[in-house]
Amino acid sequence: MSGLQSAILLLFINIGLLWLLMRIPLGLRTLHLNRTFRCTPETLWSAMNPAGSKANWHHSVITSRPLSHRVGVIEQTYKHLDKNGEPLRRLLSLEPLVAVTGSAHGFQSAVIDDSTLDPSFWKDFRERRIVRPTPEGAVLEIAQTDRYRGLAFLIFRYVALRREMRALEGWLATGESRPQGYFEHPLVQVGLAVLSTLLLWPFLGLTVQGLMISTFLTLVIALHELGHMAAYRMFGHQSVRMIFVPLLGGVAIGGRPYRSLFEVATCALMGAGMSAFLVPILIVAEQLADRGIVPSPARGPLLVFIMILGAFNLLNLLPMHRFDGGQVLRQIFRSRRSQTAASFVVTLCIMCVGFEVGLAATWLLAGLLVFTIVSLIGAGSVKPRQKLEEMTDGERMLVAFGLYAAIAMHGYAVVFAIDRIF
């Protein structure tokens, strides 16, 4: 298989995985989970009932109590923060299950208000929990229904339920609930990054050069996400993390929702922005290697790394919906007409870099079409509960010049590296 065929195959695999994870219409789906615990039904019900005496047993729940002035409504507060840095607040409508007989207890709940998400996010969500006595103790039956688009959130909900059950087992045994799961642990993410590198290797050629390119691509992704994480920290996020998804890349996750459009734009821009700081350093290192000051065998790998760094970040600055470039432009320009004009200018600048390095117009248009399709696959976002603060004119100008600088730096990196390689 030629290099071009491998690249096309990898591209179609990525598009297919993205569609399955983000866009496949699954409709209403119900997750079922049954778990038996060695405890009395009364103890388990006091924890599962949102109005129960032990309803705040979970490590992420601060309080769970009925509202005295609203019958059948439960107020829950969580350690997760809203955009103002306050504990997340959620209101549940609670209905006893009258069909439950004997010594069993059950309820059905729905979310009627949320301090971080628009109520439309919860319009199809329903949850039913039943506690039944058994000879071994008590069994908990959970049925959680929602409307899903893409497998990613369905898988997330299933994993969250299983983690909750493990935390419940720990609480029943020790009286203390602890966070469960190791997926977000840095060592696990390093392992996933290594796995991603090895999965990319066959598509880039099972040679030393192919391994070098796949390793460099993984490093570039990590640097890009570190830029986002640094921006989150700068805006006061108490916790940030990076999640690697083999073959698909990585994603940086902040510790709370965005507060302002300036925060959205800056956090999106800093992925490419941090990498842009490395461009002049790497170019100086290449020139030192060219003159023999730095060992000359490092010159070839340096050029390859500069090319991958520039190309990856430059493509990520395309003004597509889910790309960082699209995120930035939507915050700078608020009208549809100005967004369209700015998108045309940015796309033209990036295509000019392609022309400069010798790419044919047909390939550039084909690539633009593919990236547009990928952007549409990832389209759709969660609407926040409160409107974000608008940018001032000074903030808008600052972000615009930052976008221009990032495009210029990475465009120059691509032209410089390809000119030296070929």
Side-chain angles (χ1 to χ4, degrees):
M1 186 182 295
S2 67
L4 178 59
Q5 290 172 327
S6 298
I8 293 174
L9 176 61
L10 179 61
L11 181 62
F12 277 106
I13 290 175
N14 274 267
I15 292 175
L17 287 174
L18 282 172
W19 183 75
L20 286 173
L21 290 173
M22 306 298 295
R23 299 301 293 172
I24 182 173
L26 299 174
L28 284 173
R29 297 285 171 173
T30 301
L31 294 172
H32 295 277
L33 195 63
N34 292 358
R35 187 66 60 87
T36 300
F37 299 92
R38 295 185 179 276
C39 67
T40 64
E42 292 74 22
T43 300
L44 185 58
W45 176 244
S46 69
M48 289 299 99
N49 180 11
S53 59
K54 301 295 184 181
N56 63 340
W57 67 271
H58 195 269
H59 53 271
S60 67
V61 178
I62 301 174
T63 62
S64 182
R65 60 185 180 85
L67 294 179
S68 58
H69 60 285
R70 299 182 65 178
V71 178
V73 176
I74 304 295
E75 180 189 55
Q76 293 184 326
T77 57
Y78 294 82
K79 292 181 180 178
H80 308 300
L81 303 179
D82 63 16
K83 78 182 189 72
N84 298 314
E86 300 295 329
L88 185 155
R89 176 179 174 272
R90 192 170 290 162
L91 296 183
L92 305 179
S93 64
L94 198 66
E95 300 176 14
L97 290 177
V98 295
V100 176
T101 58
S103 56
H105 305 279
F107 70 86
Q108 177 172 292
S109 65
V111 179
I112 57 178
D113 195 24
D114 189 304
S115 63
T116 61
L117 301 174
D118 188 82
S120 61
F121 177 83
W122 297 104
K123 63 184 179 67
D124 296 310
F125 179 83
R126 299 291 183 275
E127 186 176 59
R128 186 176 68 250
R129 298 196 175 199
I130 301 173
V131 175
R132 302 183 190 275
T134 66
E136 296 81 15
V139 63
L140 173 63
E141 302 172 5
I142 301 177
Q144 195 179 86
T145 302
D146 204 351
R147 187 176 300 277
Y148 294 94
R149 192 172 185 87
L151 287 169
F153 197 50
L154 180 65
I155 295 171
F156 169 79
R157 281 266 176 83
Y158 177 73
V159 172
L161 279 177
R162 289 185 62 86
R163 287 185 174 185
E164 182 186 351
M165 294 302 99
R166 291 199 297 271
L168 180 58
E169 288 177 346
W171 177 77
L172 290 170
T174 66
E176 184 178 2
S177 169
R178 295 180 179 274
Q180 302 295 312
Y182 299 97
F183 182 74
E184 297 89 351
H185 194 279
L187 290 178
V188 175
Q189 292 306 311
V190 170
L192 289 175
V194 173
L195 176 61
S196 181
T197 301
L198 296 177
L199 289 175
L200 286 170
W201 188 12
F203 295 98
L204 301 170
L206 287 171
T207 62
V208 174
Q209 290 77 14
L211 180 60
M212 178 185 70
I213 293 173
S214 63
T215 302
F216 283 171
L217 182 57
T218 301
L219 287 175
V220 165
I221 293 172
L223 286 170
H224 183 92
E225 301 307 328
L226 282 172
H228 292 310
M229 293 170 68
Y232 286 138
R233 283 292 191 185
M234 181 183 68
F235 281 100
H237 290 241
Q238 295 181 5
S239 63
V240 294
R241 58 193 184 277
M242 181 193 308
I243 303 296
F244 251 95
V245 184
L247 287 182
L248 295 179
V251 58
I253 302 174
R256 59 163 175 76
Y258 294 115
R259 289 176 180 165
S260 65
L261 299 181
F262 180 66
E263 183 179 347
V264 176
T266 305
C267 290
L269 183 58
M270 273 300 290
M274 177 169 281
S275 298
F277 284 109
L278 294 176
V279 171
I281 298 173
L282 292 170
I283 288 176
V284 169
E286 188 278 334
Q287 292 177 337
L288 292 176
D290 188 34
R291 296 173 184 176
I293 301 174
V294 174
S296 56
R299 182 171 179 266
L302 272 173
L303 287 172
V304 173
F305 186 75
I306 293 170
M307 181 184 67
I308 295 173
L309 181 76
F312 177 87
N313 286 284
L314 195 63
L315 293 174
N316 202 261
L317 291 172
L318 280 167
M320 307 303 180
H321 183 85
R322 274 298 187 186
F323 289 18
D324 291 340
Q327 287 267 47
V328 174
L329 287 181
R330 284 198 305 277
Q331 316 316 317
I332 300 175
F333 302 98
R334 304 303 290 163
S335 70
R336 182 63 60 88
R337 181 176 297 180
S338 59
Q339 287 178 9
T340 302
S343 298
F344 177 79
V345 172
V346 171
T347 303
L348 184 62
C349 290
I350 294 175
M351 291 186 72
C352 284
V353 175
F355 279 118
E356 179 65 25
V357 299
L359 291 178
T362 305
W363 284 105
L364 288 173
L365 291 174
L368 189 61
L369 176 62
V370 168
F371 280 107
T372 302
I373 293 172
V374 171
S375 176
L376 292 175
I377 288 174
S381 58
V382 178
K383 187 178 179 181
R385 180 71 172 83
Q386 299 174 328
K387 187 177 179 181
L388 301 183
E389 301 170 12
E390 293 288 339
M391 276 200 283
T392 65
D393 290 339
E395 290 172 339
R396 187 172 286 108
M397 183 179 69
L398 182 65
V399 174
F401 276 116
L403 177 62
Y404 168 79
I407 293 173
M409 291 295 290
H410 290 297
Y412 178 74
V414 172
V415 173
F416 175 88
I418 291 181
D419 181 60
R420 294 292 196 279
I421 293 172
F422 299 103

